[in-house]
Amino acid sequence: MIPSLRRNRISKHATEFAGQAAKSVAKQATRQADTVSSAAKKVTDMATGAAQKASGAVQKTANHAGEVGAKAANKVGQSATNTAQMVSEGISGAAGNLAKIGNAGTGAAQAQATMMVEQMSSIASGSSGGGGAAPTASFTSADQAAVIDAIKPAVKYAVDMWKLSAHFSDLKIMAVSAIGAPGCLDGPELESHIRIHPKVQSLSGLARDMANGIAEGFSDNFFLWQDGVTVPGLPWYPAFAAFPGPNAPPMPNVPMPLISCVSNRVARLIVASEVADAIRQALPANLSSETAFINRVAAGLALGASTWLGSAQVMNVLGYGPVPTFAPPYVPVGPVVGGTNIAAPGHLMTAPPMNPIII
């Protein structure tokens, strides 16, 4: 076959096929357009119906709200009117009652005001020292004599009671030496014993207050001295330098004056100004200004304490401990190492009384 003729036939068939396809597509498009138009019409009809229904519901709601609002407004108005009437009546009644009360209480108020003026005048007169006010109590010379007469035996008694239970504890014994840290001396406080003394109990008024202040101040300083006492390596146990045995049994110390047991707060006990400061701080304000008398008492207490510290003897402190180097027959004796003492009352029981020298 001639190629040109073949091309003509193919072109003719292609044209026919294209025309048929176009017609088919056009028919399908027309059908789809009709379907869409029908659906659109239905949607439009549904929307119109819904809008009409919504409009009707809104109109009904508005009408109902209007009716409710009108009714509520009427009720509120009526309630407000009633409330206003009640308030007006209450105010009128209260005003009447206040007027009655004011008339009835005028006399009482005037009497009370007069009484207050008289009281204020009386107070002013008393504070200025005139017009028959009671004189302020003073610490007289008789009170001073009574306090001194009471405080001297009371302090002596308190220290005597302290001596019965005072003792050293927790000492470290190394050969002949005894070592005690601050706080190694234990004993009760003095204040309660001073206060319960019969002569202090017999005092009254300012004299009693002064005696109690002296008891507190001196007791505080005595405790501070006691709390600072040490045993500074004193040679209390000479037999422990070379003891012939594995353990040294309890042995008493070599007696020594109490003042050799050094305290870093001894000034609180033997310096008059330190004692005076402690007493002054313990006194109430109306007595802390009695400087001359306080200094007089403090000087006597400090002098008595310093004398007592020098004369009191520490004795019967029973020490014991191991002798680790004891190894007979080659080492038949050795020193006590790491020993201690028996903490029992009686170490100051033989000390003389403390007698305050108040003149």
Side-chain angles (χ1 to χ4, degrees), residues 216-239:
E216 180 180 342
F218 184 70
S219 177
D220 289 348
N221 277 21
F222 191 94
F223 175 80
L224 290 173
W225 160 80
Q226 171 188 295
D227 195 51
V229 166
T230 64
V231 181
L234 298 177
W236 279 1
Y237 305 100

Side-chain angles (χ1 to χ4, degrees), residues 14-340:
T15 303
E16 291 176 356
F17 177 77
Q20 292 176 358
K23 290 179 181 180
S24 177
V25 169
K27 287 181 179 180
Q28 290 181 358
T30 302
R31 290 175 184 175
Q32 290 179 354
D34 292 340
T35 302
V36 170
S37 175
S38 177
K41 184 178 180 181
K42 291 180 180 180
V43 169
T44 302
D45 293 341
M46 291 174 64
T48 302
Q52 291 176 354
K53 291 181 180 179
S55 176
V58 168
Q59 184 64 34
K60 290 181 180 180
T61 303
N63 295 336
H64 182 67
E67 294 175 358
V68 171
K71 292 180 180 179
N74 291 334
K75 290 183 179 180
V76 170
Q78 185 63 35
S79 178
T81 303
N82 295 338
T83 302
Q85 185 175 358
M86 292 173 63
V87 170
S88 177
E89 294 175 356
I91 292 174
S92 300
N97 292 334
L98 287 174
K100 293 178 181 180
I101 293 172
N103 294 332
T106 301
Q110 291 177 349
Q112 185 176 4
T114 304
M115 184 181 298
M116 291 176 65
V117 171
E118 291 177 352
Q119 290 178 351
M120 294 298 293
S121 300
S122 176
I123 292 172
S125 300
S127 62
S128 62
T136 304
S138 61
F139 188 64
T140 65
S141 57
D143 291 331
Q144 296 180 14
V147 170
I148 292 173
D149 184 60
I151 210 68
K152 290 165 69 175
V155 169
K156 175 183 176 297
Y157 168 74
V159 176
D160 286 343
M161 297 302 296
W162 176 85
K163 292 188 302 179
L164 294 178
S165 58
H167 62 277
F168 288 89
S169 61
D170 299 324
L171 299 182
K172 304 300 180 185
I173 299 174
M174 306 297 291
V176 302
S177 300
I179 303 168
C184 63
L185 178 58
D186 296 325
E189 51 87 24
L190 303 184
E191 183 179 357
S192 61
H193 292 298
I194 298 175
R195 284 175 175 259
I196 66 173
H197 192 273
K199 286 206 170 185
V200 173
Q201 290 290 314
S202 67
L203 299 175
S204 61
L206 294 180
R208 179 72 169 273
D209 293 340
M210 177 63 79
N212 288 339
I214 294 171
E216 180 180 342
F218 184 70
S219 177
D220 289 348
N221 277 21
F222 191 94
F223 175 80
L224 290 173
W225 160 80
Q226 171 188 295
D227 195 51
V229 166
T230 64
V231 181
L234 298 177
W236 279 1
Y237 305 100
F240 290 175
F243 189 82
N247 290 283
M251 291 186 180
N253 69 303
V254 175
M256 289 188 180
L258 180 56
I259 198 170
S260 64
C261 298
V262 180
S263 172
N264 59 2
R265 295 173 177 174
V266 68
R268 295 295 188 101
L269 192 60
I270 65 174
V271 176
S273 60
E274 297 279 353
V275 179
D277 288 342
I279 294 173
R280 191 174 295 108
Q281 292 175 11
L283 288 171
N286 60 333
L287 287 175
S288 61
S289 60
E290 298 288 338
T291 305
F293 181 75
I294 294 171
N295 291 341
R296 178 184 172 189
V297 172
L301 290 170
L303 181 58
S306 60
T307 303
W308 177 74
L309 286 176
S311 60
Q313 295 288 308
V314 180
M315 58 178 60
N316 295 321
V317 182
L318 300 178
Y320 63 95
V323 183
T325 60
F326 177 73
Y330 302 103
V331 185
V333 296
V336 171
V337 177
T340 187

